[in-house]
Amino acid sequence: MTTELTVASGRGAEPRPPRRADNDDIPPARLSWRHRLTNFDVKVSPYLYIAPFFIVFGVVGLFPLLYTAYISLFDWELGADEQPFVGLENYTYLLGDSQFWNAMVNTISIFVLSSVPQVIVAVLLAALLNTALRGRTAWRMGVLLPYVASLVALTIIFANLFGPQYGMINSILEAVGIDRIDWQAERWWSHIAIATMVNWRWTGYNALIVLAAMQAIPRDIYEAAWVDGASKARQFFSITLPLLRPTMIFVVVTSTIGGLQIFTEPKLFAPAGSNTGGAQNQYQTVVLYMYQSGFQDQDLGYASAIAWVLFIVIIAIAGINFLITRRLASTGEG
Amino acid sequence: MAVVQGRPTFVEPPSGKRSRRASKGTLSERRPGFTVYGILIAFILGSAFPFYWSFVVASHDDSEITGDPPLIPGGNFFVNAGRVLDTIPFWKALGNSIIVSGTVTLSVVILSTLAGFAFAKLRFKGRNTLMVFVVATLAVPTQLGIIPLYMTMAELGWAGNLGAVIVPNLVTAFGVFWMRQYIADAVPDELIEAARMDGCSMIRTFWHVCLPAVRPAAAMLGIFTFMMSWNDFLWPLIALDAENPTMQVALEKLQSGYYVDNSLVLAGTTMATVPILIVFLVLGRQIVAGIMQGAVKG
């Protein structure tokens, strides 16, 4: 988000006639034809090359988002004969819908439970990986293992591990003398279970990003601190952590955009393919509620209103993150 | 996040080597002790455990799972695997996933490289504004537009068709950004100029000068795109049906019954995971390097 785009001086792209234009063998008529063709090539080609992105983004990104806003103003039921215009009624209903607020709280709760421990563990793990290990690549691959496996498969495996009756985790708890926990029925425990899946999958990945940033810190800063007699711990808190701040904010921003759209984990944590996120919606997230409203209850207008409110929340939070980053960068702290 | 500079000099293509060399043999580094290795081993064992557990359950009869769960694999895996093949169209789902992810990967790599080349090396009106727009779309949660997308696909008669999950992912903002950053550094302007002087058309310049230089970055983009596409779940779940699913959708169908047969379900997840683990063993080094480069470059 803080990346600056600097201008590449593309001298090679300037229009110039082909070298053969100087050649006497070529008749003048053909020369000008070629010349015009080259000019056309130089002028139009760049737009042709970037066009696919803008077409695809326009058709499957921008248009659907705008059309979602349009649909959200209608009582748009799937398969109904007519879709009456209702203005902002979907939104006013949404603001008084306790299930929506419940889903919003669940989403934020799961997001906080997954992002805070994750960033802390990722930094510590990166510090361990930044030592002179034997066989560096093998260790790095090791911590990245959860990232490559398919999310659906992993969520199913974790739903099994957290199973209330025969789950592995409850067996361990019982073996050490702690009461079994109903990981699905109890709201906060279900959030912890889902956050565990997210943490398990992404901690190693984020550790590698932090590790890359750690390696970009110039060595002579550490050497100067070492000469001044700073301990390893002091170096970590006074040099490493402050210089990592931009990367940490990057990690937090990207995980915000992803984390607020969490869907697969709560969807598959429920046993029988339901969309309610537990009997009392105790772990239903906003995107899961949108899915339930749109594709189970077939109320596309209402689902669109949910999508737009979430969209605004995400953009607002990403924007706040961005402003904080800029602030930190301009005061020279980042 | 580093600022990428576009000086017209022969910049060495970025690689992991530089940072590795810099971090070796300085006076502040010592070989870590057993504690560091111990913590890392514990972490990696924790990372690997769910895979192991999945295989353990998958290799037992479902009735054995009740009571105290077993800790070592049993001998029932192939029986359970056979039941998976009877319950869901496993091979069809595998084939579909390969077709979808393969097509998406090929398309993303080609179209992103082409756009990245234009943004990094060609001059045209509005270039910088358009590039800022591309970067801004990275923050747009396009997943929230799935309702009109579904209506569009239904209108076109594409619902249930693999095209519905391929077309929306043909080119990504991340891909364009990634390739632009790499090409700006890795392809010298002089080389492009020379090709143009020799009368190469734009597309031939791209093909003969740019493409050979960007293979490493294109390969990494390919690996990441393939993994993202392979894991995609929400949109395929809406757009496809149980008869013609991708792997992720088929796995979900395996789990959604009133009675959950754990051995069956986890045999399915094991079968879907093993090919990915093999790919990871082969390409893991590139995946690690890709994540670390992406972080430093922005």
Side-chain angles (χ1 to χ4, degrees):
Chain A
M1 243 103 301
T2 56
T3 309
E4 283 177 42
L5 300 167
T6 48
V7 185
S9 48
R11 279 191 291 140
E14 277 170 39
R16 65 181 67 236
R19 194 199 266 169
R20 287 182 59 189
D22 301 330
N23 205 321
D24 290 336
D25 308 342
I26 299 166
R30 193 166 160 220
L31 186 145
S32 78
W33 180 79
R34 271 202 73 141
H35 195 106
R36 247 182 291 159
L37 192 72
T38 308
N39 260 340
F40 183 78
D41 184 28
V42 166
K43 282 218 177 83
V44 174
S45 291
Y47 294 105
L48 283 181
Y49 299 167
I50 63 169
F53 170 78
F54 289 93
I55 293 170
V56 169
F57 178 74
V59 173
V60 303
L62 192 60
F63 164 72
L65 272 179
L66 297 178
Y67 202 56
T68 303
Y70 176 76
I71 296 170
S72 72
L73 303 176
F74 292 82
D75 180 13
W76 200 305
E77 306 262 343
L78 206 61
D81 290 335
E82 53 183 48
Q83 282 88 23
F85 179 80
V86 294
L88 293 176
E89 211 170 274
N90 281 326
Y91 290 94
T92 49
Y93 185 79
L94 188 68
L95 294 179
D97 181 358
S98 62
Q99 195 180 347
F100 170 73
W101 289 111
N102 170 64
M104 193 58 109
V105 170
N106 289 345
T107 305
I108 291 171
S109 158
I110 291 169
F111 169 64
V112 171
L113 284 172
S114 56
S115 58
V116 174
Q118 194 185 128
V119 169
I120 295 171
V121 175
V123 171
L124 295 177
L125 192 59
L128 294 184
L129 289 170
N130 199 23
T131 54
L133 292 168
R134 288 175 195 283
R136 280 161 198 260
T137 310
W139 295 106
R140 289 173 189 173
M141 277 174 66
V143 301
L144 196 62
L145 187 63
Y147 166 74
V148 294
S150 111
L151 183 56
V152 171
L154 284 176
T155 308
I156 293 174
I157 295 170
F158 267 97
N160 182 279
L161 283 170
F162 280 109
Q165 273 180 299
Y166 309 120
M168 179 76 196
I169 291 172
N170 269 349
S171 300
I172 294 173
L173 288 182
E174 204 163 54
V176 296
I178 303 171
D179 283 343
R180 287 169 167 266
I181 293 167
D182 196 336
W183 294 100
Q184 267 155 13
E186 308 216 16
R187 191 176 187 195
W188 302 113
W189 288 121
S190 70
H191 293 187
I192 288 175
I194 290 171
T196 306
M197 300 178 201
V198 180
N199 287 328
W200 187 83
R201 184 173 166 79
W202 291 102
T203 303
Y205 174 88
N206 283 324
L208 288 186
I209 290 182
V210 175
L211 172 64
M214 277 183 182
Q215 294 188 337
I217 300 174
R219 288 279 138 180
D220 42 3
I221 302 183
Y222 289 105
E223 282 163 19
W226 182 77
V227 169
D228 289 346
S231 67
K232 274 274 175 195
R234 181 71 199 274
Q235 288 177 25
F236 180 77
F237 285 106
S238 300
I239 302 173
T240 313
L241 273 190
L243 288 177
L244 283 182
R245 200 180 289 156
T247 306
M248 311 249 279
I249 292 169
F250 169 79
V251 168
V252 171
V253 171
T254 50
S255 64
T256 307
I257 295 169
L260 294 178
Q261 296 181 70
I262 185 168
F263 169 77
T264 307
E265 290 91 341
K267 162 88 175 136
L268 293 172
F269 193 47
S274 78
N275 303 315
T276 55
Q280 275 88 45
N281 311 116
Q282 61 269 29
Y283 52 91
Q284 185 175 50
T285 57
V286 177
V287 176
L288 187 54
Y289 187 37
M290 175 186 88
Y291 180 84
Q292 185 195 6
S293 305
F295 296 97
Q296 182 187 314
D297 305 342
Q298 314 215 317
D299 190 348
L300 294 182
Y302 196 57
S304 298
I306 297 174
W308 252 89
V309 171
L310 182 60
F311 176 72
I312 290 165
V313 168
I314 290 175
I315 294 295
I317 294 181
I320 291 168
N321 278 322
F322 177 71
L323 288 179
I324 294 172
T325 320
R326 282 241 307 226
R327 186 82 181 267
L328 291 175
S330 64
T331 52
E333 283 183 273
Chain B
M1 273 130 284
V3 175
V4 178
Q5 284 165 1
R7 282 170 292 127
T9 49
F10 285 88
V11 184
E12 206 185 334
S15 70
K17 277 182 195 139
R18 212 185 318 135
S19 56
R20 207 181 302 156
R21 208 185 301 139
S23 62
K24 222 178 239 175
T26 49
L27 78 168
S28 57
E29 289 230 349
R30 277 182 312 173
R31 288 276 169 199
F34 288 114
T35 342
V36 171
Y37 284 106
I39 297 171
L40 284 176
I41 288 172
F43 190 88
I44 290 171
L45 286 181
S47 299
F49 179 76
F51 299 107
Y52 174 74
W53 170 251
S54 166
F55 181 68
V56 168
V57 176
S59 58
H60 282 90
D61 188 86
D62 195 45
S63 59
E64 294 176 79
I65 311 294
T66 57
D68 277 335
L71 276 177
I72 43 171
N76 229 5
F77 179 72
F78 290 102
V79 178
N80 289 326
R83 286 161 61 219
V84 171
L85 299 183
D86 293 339
T87 314
I88 53 169
F90 183 85
W91 297 115
K92 190 174 174 77
L94 188 67
N96 280 346
S97 274
I98 292 172
I99 292 170
V100 169
S101 302
T103 315
V104 166
T105 302
L106 200 67
S107 158
V108 165
V109 169
I110 293 174
L111 295 178
S112 301
T113 311
L114 208 52
F117 170 68
F119 277 124
K121 293 293 165 186
L122 305 184
R123 276 189 174 177
F124 55 94
K125 235 181 167 181
R127 178 175 78 168
N128 291 338
T129 319
L130 290 172
M131 189 62 216
V132 169
F133 182 80
V134 171
V135 174
T137 64
L138 276 172
V140 176
T142 47
Q143 180 173 257
L144 299 180
I146 51 171
I147 291 159
L149 197 57
Y150 175 76
M151 289 159 63
T152 313
M153 293 299 174
E155 197 75 26
L156 290 170
W158 284 18
N161 192 315
L162 290 187
V165 289
I166 293 175
V167 170
N169 297 308
L170 283 178
V171 54
T172 58
F174 172 76
V176 175
F177 178 65
W178 169 271
M179 291 314 298
R180 184 222 168 262
Q181 300 298 79
Y182 188 86
I183 293 170
D185 273 3
V187 184
D189 289 331
E190 284 82 352
L191 219 55
I192 291 174
E193 200 177 334
R196 301 283 308 141
M197 297 265 288
D198 287 347
C200 266
S201 63
M202 281 291 182
I203 196 74
R204 283 191 62 193
T205 311
F206 169 74
W207 193 260
H208 293 293
V209 178
C210 180
L211 265 195
V214 301
R215 258 186 237 141
M220 261 172 209
L221 178 61
I223 294 171
F224 282 101
T225 306
F226 194 92
M227 289 199 301
M228 273 191 289
S229 173
W230 188 271
N231 278 330
D232 203 8
F233 178 61
L234 173 57
W235 174 239
L237 180 68
I238 292 167
L240 300 177
D241 49 45
E243 282 76 47
N244 192 28
T246 58
M247 201 65 203
Q248 313 306 328
V249 177
L251 284 181
E252 196 263 347
K253 299 292 177 236
L254 197 58
Q255 195 217 22
S256 53
Y258 277 106
Y259 168 71
V260 178
D261 181 339
N262 286 304
S263 299
L264 174 72
V265 172
L266 292 194
T269 62
T270 305
M271 289 160 72
T273 305
V274 167
I276 298 178
L277 289 183
I278 293 171
V279 171
F280 181 60
L281 284 179
V282 178
L283 296 176
R285 184 181 287 269
Q286 278 76 23
I287 298 173
V288 167
I291 291 171
M292 293 185 62
Q293 265 179 40
V296 176
K297 299 211 76 193

